[in-house]
Amino acid sequence: MNIKYTTRSSRKGFKAGALKKGMEYDYAKQCEYVAIFDADFQPEQDFLLRTLPFFMHNPEVALVQARWAFVNDTASLLTRVQKMFFDYHFKVEQEAGSATFSFFSFNGTAGIWRAAAIKEAGGWKDRTTVEDMDLAVRATLKGWKFIYVGDIRVKSELPSTYKAYCRQQFRWSCGGAHLFRQVAKDILVAKDVSILKKFHMLYSFFLVRRVVAPTVTCILYNIILPISVMIPELFIPIWGIAYIPMVLTVVTAIRHPKNIHILPFWIFFETVMTMHRMRAALAGLFELSEFNEWVVTKKVGNNFEDNEVPLLHKTRKRLRDRVNFREILFAAFLFFCASYNLVFHGKTSYYFNLYLQGLAFLFLGLNFTGTCTCCQ
């Protein structure tokens, strides 16, 4: 087997820099296709046999994206709600985009690229923290098409700690918003893309999903709704705060009937995550601090067979590393608003919901992930 194992001495450009460096080797230049996997992914032996045929008679196809499967999705409440999110992402967003040859993004791993498409699109760039999405956008603007194959699944690992998941979501949300700023003009002037696809990419994929959705959701549910109980003149219609979000939530979770009982936990968990996604979206859109910071998502991996030496050694942590103060402050604010609403009844009574929402912020502020260990 012609196998070569190479590393590089610096982390310049992070993952994009590593992929760019790998494509510069002579043996890589001789390859027509490039398969990409993150370190925690475990492809099956027949992965290439099942994916490469999609390229053979489709010269316009640049990418074949497989679905992610997870080895630790039942490890905790945190991993269960993550699986619900990813099931919706792959089944709805990726599969719908592939079926209509509309735009969907490369997931950064578990996929195969045509080397000619990478070269024509300009190669890997490290201008954002979402190099996968960046390349997918540029390849689409060149007229290339993508295929998502949900039947092919590659095992991987979900972040098992709250801090690791927050850093992953911050990088993805911040990078997506920053990329929107970078490529909006290129999408508008692209000649090989239809007006309908341009509208989908600019409005639906970038503006709504990367900027508007997390910002509006966070401000509405974490700020305006709690404050409304103390301001009688501020009225929010029930359909805006309950009916529409409930329908969207059920539609999102319907793909996961086995975990339907954790749907309430998922709702409050996503309410907390909107705070991080809004902060990340604004940081990426306006290039605030941390907008181009790459923090590797820590994974646990497999323990050694003798279980004597864990892969991740526990170290003594300071209080600020064990407690998330943003979540704690938001919890205090929500508890105050809920108590005010309970004592001084007005036109609306949201105190029950606000108490539950405050508990969600409190638990995640203490890094509780649904396991036996509360503070990790």
Side-chain angles (χ1 to χ4, degrees), residues 117-354:
I118 298 177
K119 184 177 180 181
E120 184 181 353
W124 300 97
K125 295 185 179 181
D126 59 358
R127 58 182 179 175
T128 70
T129 56
V130 285
E131 75 297 323
D132 45 8
M133 189 185 298
D134 188 358
L135 178 60
V137 170
R138 288 183 280 114
T140 298
L141 299 183
K142 293 293 184 180
W144 291 96
K145 297 179 179 180
F146 307 153
I147 293 178
Y148 167 73
V149 188
D151 294 335
I152 303 176
R153 305 193 176 201
V154 183
K155 295 179 180 179
S156 62
E157 181 184 335
L158 292 165
S160 56
T161 65
Y162 175 64
K163 282 186 177 292
Y165 181 68
C166 287
R167 286 167 180 164
Q168 181 193 69
Q169 292 297 305
F170 184 91
R171 187 177 76 243
W172 290 355
S173 301
C174 180
H178 187 228
L179 182 62
F180 175 49
R181 172 176 176 153
Q182 299 274 351
V183 301
K185 183 179 178 180
D186 297 334
I187 295 175
L188 286 173
V189 301
K191 298 180 180 180
D192 297 328
V193 181
S194 65
I195 296 179
L196 184 60
K197 183 176 286 190
K198 288 181 181 180
F199 178 79
H200 167 70
M201 294 175 68
L202 287 173
Y203 178 75
S204 177
F205 185 81
F206 277 115
L207 182 61
V208 173
R209 286 163 53 186
R210 298 301 183 278
V211 180
V212 174
T215 303
V216 171
T217 306
C218 180
I219 294 176
L220 176 61
Y221 289 100
N222 296 334
I223 299 177
I224 295 181
L225 181 62
I227 291 179
S228 68
V229 302
M230 297 182 289
I231 305 177
E233 294 79 12
L234 182 58
F235 174 74
I236 304 176
I238 191 66
W239 57 265
I241 62 174
Y243 297 154
I244 293 179
M246 183 180 300
V247 171
L248 294 175
T249 301
V250 172
V251 170
T252 302
I254 200 68
R255 287 290 308 167
H256 224 298
K258 292 183 179 179
N259 283 341
I260 200 71
H261 60 285
I262 67 171
L263 185 59
F265 299 99
W266 180 79
I267 295 173
F268 290 110
F269 175 78
E270 285 298 312
T271 303
V272 179
M273 290 307 302
T274 58
M275 176 187 67
H276 295 281
R277 295 192 182 110
M278 183 189 74
R279 186 171 66 92
L282 295 179
L285 190 63
F286 299 107
E287 294 188 350
L288 305 178
S289 61
E290 300 181 345
F291 83 94
N292 204 25
E293 179 179 339
W294 182 287
V295 180
V296 176
T297 303
K298 292 184 179 181
K299 304 293 180 68
V300 177
N302 296 323
N303 291 332
F304 289 94
E305 293 182 357
D306 56 10
N307 292 322
E308 292 181 358
V309 184
L311 291 181
L312 296 180
H313 296 278
K314 291 184 178 181
T315 57
R316 295 181 62 88
K317 297 181 180 179
R318 292 170 294 182
L319 178 62
R320 69 177 184 179
D321 296 324
R322 296 196 303 266
V323 176
N324 305 304
F325 289 103
R326 289 191 185 93
E327 285 81 351
I328 298 296
L329 291 175
F330 252 109
F333 167 69
L334 291 169
F335 285 144
F336 172 78
C337 293
S339 301
Y340 183 93
N341 189 218
L342 179 62
V343 175
F344 303 101
H345 282 288
K347 295 180 180 179
T348 57
S349 297
Y350 298 138
Y351 59 88
F352 183 73
N353 178 79
L354 292 177

